[in-house]
Amino acid sequence: MNEAQAKCATPDGVVDWHGIDRAKAHQATQKLQVRIAKAIREGKHRKAKSLQWLLTHSFYAKCMAVKRVTENSGKKTAGVDNETWDTPPAKAKAIVGLKRRGYKPQPLRRVYIPKANGKQRPLGIPTMKDRAMQALHLLALEPISETTADPNSYGFRPKRGCKDAAEQIFISMAQKTQAKWVLEADIAGCFDNISHEWLLANIPTDTAILRKWLKAGFVWKGVRSDTEAGTPQGGIISPVLANMALDGLAGKLAKAFPKITGRGRATKVNYIRYADDFIITGTSPEVLEEAKTITERFLEARGLILSPEKTKVVNISEGFDFLGWNFRKYNGKMMIKPAKKNVKNFLAGIRQLIDSNKTATQENLIRLLNPKIRGWTEYHKNQVAKETFSDVDHAIWKKLWKWARRRHPNKPKMWVKAKYWPHHNGCNWTFRVKVLDRKGNGVWLDLFKASSVPIVRHVKIKADANPYDPAQEEYFEERFQRHFKEEAHGARIKYLWHSQDGKCTACGQNLTKQTGWHVHHVIWRVKGGTDDSRNLVLMHPDCHRQLHSRVNRGLPTTLKSG
């Protein structure tokens, strides 16, 4: 038992899950990750490999890996062993069990999920132990992948997202003198067909462990099958493996198409990728056909091909869909709008939800609809979407009107309107109902209106931004603060978040949408504490559980000011 493990062990030598210092575990792991990224930047690959070994054998890194797989959305989904780590003793035991020696992954549990085109996508679900081992090795691999990644790759990368990709396309095509042609590209079955040989020869991770994951096979209807290619969708490390397999194309295109050609004419080739979907811009279809040939050769070495049905060259005046948006120039002006297909699918889901709740109360229906409407508008609020939002509101109103009229077929229309759309404070035609708050007071619960969301321009992340570079820490802090202000949070949550500087009061680490948070009463309500903001703090869910566990056992606790 090492020193770190001994500090959080019970007298009988068993690791105490709630006794682990989360802040110290995070800091120790982050410190090693920063050193790995620095070694790669300096070209010291052997040193990076040694640091990776140190990290994957670190007790604190194992704690972080187990914490991740027991807090994410798939924590209750078991693999072929039907095992989940849902108790503190099970999590503590799992940390000790993450050992390289003797490790043998189990086959994946194969399930199928529907795709938008009607086909089915295979999903492989690893066991909890295999997920934790992947999370552990991902901690050591991600600093390298972030340091060597293509600058305009945005999918499955920390601190980056769809909106950054959209903004980069706008930057590359908005002006009149910029590229007017686009190669829309899609890789056929990217995750399912990546060459195992290429991954084993080129991914800078523990090759023996990686080979075991790739060759683990899968179980479907009780029958085990081998895997000869691909990395399973559902594995924690799979997106990073796919990203690293696709990294490098930007450099090849830049070499083949320098900014200025022999006659002084720029080809204006730009490459923007999100996961396995990407576009390449150019001055003409001929330029893009050449770029397509280079891309096909690049993918061939990795066992991949472009999808013939989804790969095409279009003019920006015709427009193209990418990531749920339509990019098009109207009379020379670039606009990014929600794609018609995306809007259609969203409204189909809303209508299905309303139809399946014909007998629900108005309050329950509003509580079901609001998160879906708010989430969809949050995704599109940085684009030219005001008109679309109004259209969506009208479509939802029409469906709700039918819902309300069906419930009261013998009542006049004005009676139905007064019941479900009562006039209040000068606001008319708002689907609302009066409910009781926690103090027993009557308050109005309104249906969220998409048109109420203001359009805010997104600020794209810097192409060379690296979260494992200490020199860019201040940049990421400022970016995180700005994004939090733009997101839809309650006034009290925003107040608490800002008063704590966006930090958990227990471990001192950032509170994000990904980590989630709990509102904790400093003086418990059972001990006379109130719901006043001065008695509330925000904490990570796991830190919150840890605090309550320590209090219940009479152990000391401390809350940091952030």
Side-chain angles (χ1 to χ4, degrees):
M1 181 181 293
N2 58 33
E3 183 181 352
Q5 188 172 341
K7 287 183 179 179
C8 56
T10 58
D12 55 1
V14 179
V15 173
D16 178 12
W17 175 254
H18 288 308
I20 299 170
D21 189 332
R22 301 287 192 275
K24 191 170 183 178
H26 179 87
Q27 291 163 7
T29 304
Q30 184 80 5
K31 185 177 180 180
L32 281 172
Q33 289 179 305
V34 169
R35 291 177 64 191
I36 292 170
K38 181 182 178 183
I40 292 297
R41 285 196 302 271
E42 295 174 350
K44 299 177 180 178
H45 297 281
R46 287 188 177 181
K47 182 177 181 180
K49 188 174 181 179
S50 298
L51 290 168
Q52 283 183 293
W53 181 274
L54 187 61
L55 190 149
T56 55
H57 289 72
S58 162
F59 173 77
Y60 282 140
K62 293 176 182 179
C63 294
M64 297 299 294
V66 173
K67 181 175 182 288
R68 172 172 179 172
V69 302
T70 55
E71 285 193 348
N72 60 21
S73 57
K75 63 185 178 182
K76 295 182 179 179
T77 305
V80 293
D81 60 355
N82 293 319
E83 182 180 342
T84 56
W85 298 337
D86 51 4
T87 64
K91 298 173 186 178
K93 184 180 178 181
I95 295 172
V96 181
L98 293 183
K99 295 179 179 180
R100 184 180 188 273
R101 178 175 296 180
Y103 170 67
K104 184 178 180 180
Q106 297 188 59
L108 306 169
R109 181 165 69 89
R110 174 64 63 90
V111 296
Y112 288 89
I113 56 176
K115 297 172 65 174
N117 59 7
K119 297 181 180 179
Q120 289 191 318
R121 185 193 307 276
L123 192 67
I125 302 175
T127 64
M128 292 296 291
K129 183 174 182 178
D130 293 335
R131 274 178 255 175
M133 281 294 283
Q134 289 189 22
L136 177 62
H137 285 265
L138 178 58
L139 289 172
L141 181 61
E142 194 169 69
I144 299 178
S145 68
E146 283 301 299
T147 305
T148 60
D150 286 342
N152 288 318
S153 161
Y154 299 98
F156 302 120
R157 294 183 60 188
K159 316 296 183 183
R160 297 179 180 231
C162 301
K163 296 178 181 180
D164 295 306
E167 190 63 23
Q168 181 60 35
I169 295 174
F170 183 87
I171 292 170
S172 302
M173 305 194 73
Q175 297 181 16
K176 292 182 179 180
T177 57
Q178 290 177 313
K180 294 180 174 61
W181 292 89
V182 175
L183 171 67
E184 286 186 80
D186 180 84
I187 301 171
C190 179
F191 281 85
D192 299 327
N193 297 305
I194 299 177
S195 168
H196 284 180
E197 289 72 21
W198 190 94
L199 291 173
L200 292 169
N202 293 275
I203 300 298
T205 190
D206 190 321
T207 306
I209 297 293
L210 178 58
R211 180 179 286 106
K212 290 180 180 181
W213 287 331
L214 295 177
K215 303 298 183 182
F218 64 89
V219 174
W220 168 242
K221 293 184 177 179
V223 179
R224 186 189 183 283
S225 301
D226 294 329
T227 46
E228 300 300 330
T231 176
Q233 297 186 61
I236 287 178
I237 203 170
S238 294
V240 173
L241 295 179
N243 267 340
M244 296 189 77
L246 298 177
D247 284 335
L249 180 55
K252 289 188 176 295
L253 290 171
K255 186 177 180 180
F257 300 99
K259 293 296 181 183
I260 302 298
T261 62
R263 295 187 177 181
R265 295 176 60 192
T267 54
K268 298 167 185 169
V269 172
N270 295 283
Y271 168 70
I272 300 105
R273 176 167 64 86
Y274 186 91
D276 58 340
D277 295 328
F278 60 90
I279 67 143
I280 301 175
T281 69
T283 52
S284 67
E286 292 74 24
V287 168
L288 292 180
E289 283 298 328
E290 186 178 349
K292 181 181 177 183
T293 301
I294 294 171
T295 301
E296 288 173 334
R297 286 201 300 266
F298 174 85
L299 295 175
E300 185 180 4
R302 291 150 177 80
L304 302 171
I305 61 171
L306 291 176
S307 171
E309 60 183 25
K310 295 183 180 179
T311 302
K312 57 185 177 180
V313 175
V314 298
N315 191 285
I316 190 61
S317 61
E318 303 172 31
F320 63 95
D321 289 351
F322 189 66
L323 301 176
W325 295 302
N326 179 261
F327 298 78
R328 184 178 174 183
K329 277 191 175 181
Y330 298 83
N331 297 322
K333 185 175 182 180
M334 181 79 164
M335 289 191 182
I336 308 175
K337 299 180 178 181
K340 291 182 179 179
K341 184 177 180 181
N342 182 276
V343 177
K344 181 180 178 181
N345 290 341
F346 169 71
L347 287 176
I350 292 294
R351 293 186 181 107
Q352 183 180 6
L353 178 63
I354 295 173
D355 285 338
S356 61
N357 285 274
K358 293 178 179 178
T359 60
T361 64
Q362 185 182 10
E363 177 185 350
N364 288 343
L365 183 60
I366 291 175
R367 294 192 188 279
L368 288 171
L369 289 171
N370 277 356
K372 292 185 177 295
I373 301 171
R374 184 179 283 110
W376 184 81
T377 53
E378 282 291 313
Y379 183 79
H380 292 290
K381 72 176 184 179
N382 303 111
Q383 316 306 345
V384 183
K386 203 66 179 178
E387 184 177 341
T388 304
F389 286 174
S390 296
D391 292 342
V392 163
D393 281 340
H394 181 66
I396 294 174
W397 173 84
K398 287 175 65 177
K399 188 64 181 177
L400 287 174
W401 179 254
K402 291 182 180 178
W403 176 87
R405 289 280 290 159
R406 177 186 177 278
R407 296 165 75 91
H408 307 283
N410 299 322
K411 294 290 186 180
K413 292 181 179 179
M414 292 308 296
W415 184 94
V416 174
K417 177 187 181 300
K419 178 174 176 61
Y420 294 101
W421 287 267
H423 190 81
H424 176 66
N425 285 345
C427 184
N428 201 11
W429 286 110
T430 296
F431 194 66
R432 58 158 59 99
V433 65
K434 183 161 282 190
V435 298
L436 298 178
D437 63 10
R438 299 176 70 177
K439 297 181 179 179
N441 300 321
V443 295
W444 287 104
L445 175 64
D446 291 358
L447 179 72
F448 184 81
K449 285 190 174 182
S451 56
S452 67
V453 176
I455 303 300
V456 181
R457 183 71 179 267
H458 178 74
V459 179
K460 190 187 81 71
I461 192 171
K462 293 179 181 178
D464 60 351
N466 186 343
Y468 297 104
D469 184 356
Q472 301 187 47
E473 176 71 15
E474 186 176 356
Y475 167 75
F476 280 106
E477 290 274 339
E478 292 174 354
R479 183 175 173 81
F480 179 68
Q481 293 269 359
R482 182 172 64 251
H483 282 183
F484 188 90
K485 292 178 182 178
E486 295 174 0
E487 291 176 354
H489 300 295
R492 178 170 294 189
I493 294 294
K494 283 191 174 183
Y495 168 80
L496 293 174
W497 190 89
H498 285 295
S499 66
Q500 297 172 202
D501 197 26
K503 309 286 186 183
C504 170
T505 54
C507 68
Q509 302 306 316
N510 285 339
L511 293 160
T512 68
K513 185 187 294 183
Q514 288 70 34
T515 65
W517 54 73
H518 268 299
V519 179
H520 172 70
H521 290 74
V522 179
I523 301 175
W524 294 8
R525 280 176 291 185
V526 294
K527 297 181 180 179
T530 67
D531 290 333
D532 190 276
S533 297
R534 290 170 294 183
N535 189 47
L536 302 176
V537 293
L538 297 180
M539 302 173 66
H540 289 127
D542 191 66
C543 293
H544 187 247
R545 288 191 291 269
Q546 183 187 39
L547 182 142
H548 277 265
S549 174
R550 295 182 68 86
V551 170
N552 291 334
R553 290 183 292 167
L555 299 176
T557 60
T558 57
L559 294 181
K560 300 179 181 181
S561 61

